[in-house]
Amino acid sequence: MADDFDMIAKTFFGLEGVLADELASLGAKEVSTGRRMCSFRGDRALLYRANIRCRTAVRVLKPVHAFTITDEASLYRGVGELDWLAHLEDDGSLAIDPVVHHSIFENTLYTAQLAKDAIVDQIRAKTGRRPSIDLADPDLRINLHIDRDRVTLYLDASGDSLHKRGYRAAAGEAPLNEVLAAGVLRLSGWDGASPLSDFMCGSGTLLIEAAMMARGIAPGTLGRRFGYTRWKDFCPATHDAEMASARAQARPALFFPIQGTDLDPEVLAAARENARRATVDGDIAWSVANFEDASPPAASGMLVTNPPYDRRMKTARIEAVYRRIGDALKQHWADHTAFLLIGNPDAAKHVGLRPSSKIRLFNGPIECRLLKFDLFAAQGDRSARQREASCESLPDFSNRLRRMARHWRRWFSRQNVDCFRVYDRDVPGVPLAIDWYAGHVLISPYERPHGRTQIEQTAWLEQIVGLAAEGLDVPRSKVLLRAGDAGAAGGGPRAEGTRMLTVHEGPLAFDVRLDPSKETGLAIDRRDLRKLLYDDAPECRALDLFARAGTATVAMALGGATSTKSVEASTGWTAWAKRNWKLNDMSSAVHRIVCQDPLEFVAQLDPAEGPQFDLALVEPPGFDGQRRAGVWNVQDGHVELLNQLLACMAPHGRIYFVTTFRRFKLDAPQLCCASVREITRRTIPRDIRDKKAHRSWLIFRDDQQADETKEQG
Ligand SMILES: C[S@@+](CC[C@H](N)C(=O)[O-])C[C@H]1O[C@@H](n2cnc3c(N)ncnc32)[C@H](O)[C@@H]1O
């Protein structure tokens, strides 16, 4: 037809075929598919219709000019060949979206700048006025496409991306793009007339798109605007006719169930609101449920879902979650077809069912697979995996805590110790440490694969907090959850603010800080080490290297050390140490705090000045085994550090050396004038289950060892 022109519609990878079908059904001619696009022909009415009705197009473009380039000047000239006043008023606004493939231009933005100059200069030369730039809401959006030396200029008929239907008020954690959701439904072959469910529906995109499809509600009728309505040749009558015809297609109600469930009530509230805005709220039944408890609304139908793909999730966890999804499908969804859009192709293996088809798609930059599973008869009982991952073992947990707390309270009250570990991974499926700090409770989750999704982990930890409060008989406000796997950043139960309190270990008192993400200032697993230092300190000149809050120094000072030196680089820790001094009436004249890098401090000790210490604690900071350039680590650096220190120890001097690096190997033969004994078993307290929470050694000056041997002889 004489009024027909070429157009292209852009889409996402993998949706080209379904978009071509959609365009053809709307009356497009000469439809052919390309990479992430379809080209077609039609008239102005079709241009409007494609924008209003297409569910799988991202935007519709109209080519207006094409030319070849050799350099910058030819790009400027080529853009200027078109009469821009035919498309834009001289006081209008424009934006240029560049798409550049294999071009002589490396800088995409520069091409847009050149094209903009060409348009603005041309209009100014003709009228003396210049259009302005408005990237967010221009009168004319131009797509500048450069492929090697070939340039095509398109007018963007959509303006904003067509995935913005106008119904999304609120999004969940990782909402699916509306165009992708519609594409998934088309690829699934859903007939728009049979029961449909999503058991991890999030903000409901798949189901809302499905309900709109089934009801014939065109995505462009929900109130959004289109770029072509601001074109100079805009025809309101044609637009109104297309809108009216699209609206006339809508059917009033559905005669089959659409069901959306999710574990997160907040995200479900967003889904409800989105559905209301899409005018399909009456078509979808929403409810809060774990996917393992969701059951189909009818004997047969389709399940389509997009399970969480948390990039921070550890592989073992992803595997466990997908195994549970597979179990749930087998258990509850017999006689259904299930489609899973999975953001982690490897995870698919763990569903434990053979997919009957796989389609490669992209969710933004994330490569996905749309897997189809044909589910037949129900299989097996609720699996062991499901039982393990759910919270069934928890009701007994508060009783266990009550028993353990009673036991340890009895034990520690005799020693006037009011902070200790009540629970330490005692139950395999409950990998937590729970510490008692003088009436307050600190829960620290161990980093362990657990097979729960983020929202499940949050709910699980909420439950743990409640059970801990009940079992330990404290108000919930006194239970603090450490940020771990599902902590503050990961959306764990609300982390309470910091609390400071004073705790006791026999005669010693310490200020501790209970904070979801910071150290407490008192390592419970060093309690017995502090006791050893206390007993060993009488009449000693003591050194505490890497002293942090100075808790070991306090032990040595109150144990009878004649003087102490606490060396610590951080001013925060040294300020804290001062508070501990005050709490224990330690005089700062004999108990000195040195704010200096401990390695530097030791390097500056001068053996010529004679023995300076009788007793020392050396506890270098943690090391994960990864050597980093320019960063000191305990494995490579301990020999030099200890030898420097040994040279300044008194003949009867002892160094207690402690590390949390589990694979640490103390290089004893390299130590000068020293004999070494590992004492880890003596320094791990009985309430700490992990017998390698730290490792410790006692290093004697050799003359001391020689004396001992002589005495024994
Ligand atoms: C990737 S999101 C789904 C996004 C959704 N397609 C949308 O467009 O908003 C995954 C969803 O799984 C939910 N989820 C995680 N664990 C769940 C569980 N055990 N039971 C039900 N839903 C769960 C999360 O709350 C989240 O909303």
Side-chain angles (χ1 to χ4, degrees), residues 174-176 200-203 205 262-263 289-291 306 453 455-456:
L176 212 54
M200 291 176 151
C201 69
S203 61
T205 322
D262 197 286
L263 195 55
N290 192 308
F291 71 87
N306 160 220
T453 61
I455 179 78
E456 286 174 320

Side-chain angles (χ1 to χ4, degrees), residues 96-114:
I96 297 186
D97 294 337
V99 180
V100 180
H101 299 291
H102 316 291
S103 159
I104 50 168
F105 296 106
E106 281 181 2
N107 185 337
T108 310
L109 289 178
Y110 181 57
T111 58
Q113 180 71 31
L114 266 181

Side-chain angles (χ1 to χ4, degrees), residues 399 436 621:
N399 284 330
W436 176 263

Side-chain angles (χ1 to χ4, degrees), residues 553-569:
T553 316
V554 171
M556 295 190 277
L558 271 67
T562 49
S563 68
T564 63
K565 235 176 219 173
S566 298
V567 187
E568 169 57 49

Side-chain angles (χ1 to χ4, degrees), residues 546 548 619-623 632-634 658-661:
F546 306 95
R548 295 184 189 81
E619 190 185 345
F623 171 56
W632 187 90
N633 74 70
V634 64
V658 182
T659 179
T660 51
F661 178 39

Side-chain angles (χ1 to χ4, degrees), residues 108-125:
T108 310
L109 289 178
Y110 181 57
T111 58
Q113 180 71 31
L114 266 181
K116 188 254 328 170
D117 288 348
I119 298 169
V120 169
D121 293 351
Q122 185 204 67
I123 292 179
R124 191 169 38 203

